[in-house]
Amino acid sequence: MNSYDTPPMPESSETQKVGFISLGCPKALVDSERILTKLKLDGYDISPNYENADVVVVNTCGFIDSAKQESMDAISEAMKENGKVIVTGCMGKGADAEAIKAVNPDVLSISGPADYETVLGAVHEFIPPSQVSDVRIDESKPHKPYEDILPPEGIKLTPQHYAYLKISEGCNHRCTFCIIPDMRGDLVSRPISDVVGEAKKLVASGTRELLVISQDTSAYGVDVKYKLDFVEGNALETRMQDLAVALGELGVWVRLHYVYPYPHVDKVIPLMAEGKILPYLDIPFQHASPKILKLMKRPGNQEKVLGRIKAWRAICPDLTIRSTFVVGFPGETEEDFQFLLDWLEEAELDRVGCFKYSPVDGAKANDLPDHVPEDIQQQRWERFMETQQAISARRLQRKVGQTLEVLIDEVDEEGAIGRSAADAPEIDGNVFINDIESVEKLGLQPGDMVAVTIEHADEYDLWGCIVYS
């Protein structure tokens, strides 16, 4: 039933059970982890199926129409299979919430994203816990897994060896195609001491990779005017660079996501060159045509960005840049689209995702003139992907013969599947090690690091053999 596997929970015939469905992006996943942690502290167990759940929580995604439909389907299925459903997340406000009520009028409660207390209140109201735990995490004492109710890092829905680290909520941008500020509000940055403290707990629990996420990582601290904070006696400003420095001291992979190309991004590139954080930037460029960027209300001058990309790669040649783009935006002409393709060829980005423009209720782009017909959108998407596949294949081919550090994600009957520093989980490529004898000889498990010499590459993935030290 769950979109992610939840860790096994000790069962009790007296304890109420909550089913949980988590949909959407990593930021929503973190919300789900926090809700589950709070539920466990309140004495609830987590059910892996509808049948044994006393109530089901659905954490929805409302970014685009297809995501909304997936959420609606999940709610309807939970209603059919269980009947007691609490809805939260990005579809829990405004017109989306009304649409949910219209289709499923008997849902118990609807709340917006990161509204943890409303979810907990609804669970308490409809299935009061028969055993409310008074146990809280004592951070001054060592964790004892057979005695403590929860590990210090709380419940995680990712594999143990990597975790998402959310540093802020909301966004100050008003992009015309996006309604995230309407759903999640303006930027609210977490204190840097809290973020670093959480990161240290995760590393102590076995996390080998921290994926820094937010709606706008580059804007971290803007809302609190880069407030000075203290982390174990060291004075740090609440800003991306200071956070990167602090996380870079933890001895694990640190990967930055959702980074807008503001000028101060230049300051983290030397940290990547020094090996403090991964040489990886996830920058949502969205387009390259100045006209379309203006219609989107996106920041950044793409000609200057090309120059900065070249400067970044001069400082850190191993830098991987991933991005997302939208084709078929209202007003996009063939000239605008060709501008984008030419820009792609020059930028030579490593990892790229592309979406066809889709109207979202409440987005200002809906009111723009000259919407692009669906068949032309499809043609442009195909041309875009063909162009980027060739670029990606070309860049990956350069890695053949290199020896890369690989983080193992999975061991199967053929060998192991892992990722290099250039690959974020779920969205980027993999490194395949088709040598079960070596994998078994070394006893490789998810979370292990191993040196791999690359022997083959295609448009997205790499294949290689283990290097014995």
Side-chain angles (χ1 to χ4, degrees), residues 48-75:
N49 54 56
Y50 293 116
E51 182 180 356
N52 294 325
D54 298 294
V55 71
V56 176
V57 178
V58 180
N59 189 5
T60 59
C61 177
F63 185 56
I64 58 176
D65 287 347
S66 59
K68 289 184 179 183
Q69 187 58 54
E70 182 183 10
S71 295
M72 293 292 283
D73 292 344
I75 295 167

Side-chain angles (χ1 to χ4, degrees), residues 231-242:
V231 178
E232 295 185 349
N234 297 317
L236 297 177
E237 290 187 329
T238 308
R239 64 170 72 238
M240 182 176 71
Q241 183 186 7
D242 282 27

Side-chain angles (χ1 to χ4, degrees), residues 132-173:
V132 179
S133 172
D134 291 326
V135 178
R136 290 296 182 266
I137 298 170
D138 185 348
E139 298 174 11
S140 67
K141 298 179 180 178
H143 171 54
K144 300 176 181 178
Y146 295 104
E147 297 177 21
D148 296 347
I149 191 170
L150 277 176
E153 73 277 7
I155 292 176
K156 308 304 292 182
L157 298 179
T158 52
Q160 185 180 10
H161 61 281
Y162 69 82
Y164 294 104
L165 185 66
K166 185 157 71 166
I167 64 173
S168 64
E169 189 61 83
C171 183
N172 289 342
H173 294 294

Side-chain angles (χ1 to χ4, degrees), residues 253 402-408 419-420 431-433 435 438-439 442 444 448-454 463-469:
W253 281 7
Q402 295 183 22
T403 298
L404 306 177
E405 186 178 32
V406 172
L407 177 62
I408 300 300
R419 292 176 291 108
S420 72
V431 179
F432 293 94
I433 305 167
D435 183 357
S438 294
V439 170
L442 294 173
L444 290 185
D448 289 340
M449 292 278 192
V450 64
V452 176
T453 297
I454 304 304
W463 285 259
C465 62
I466 294 172
V467 177
Y468 290 90
S469 56

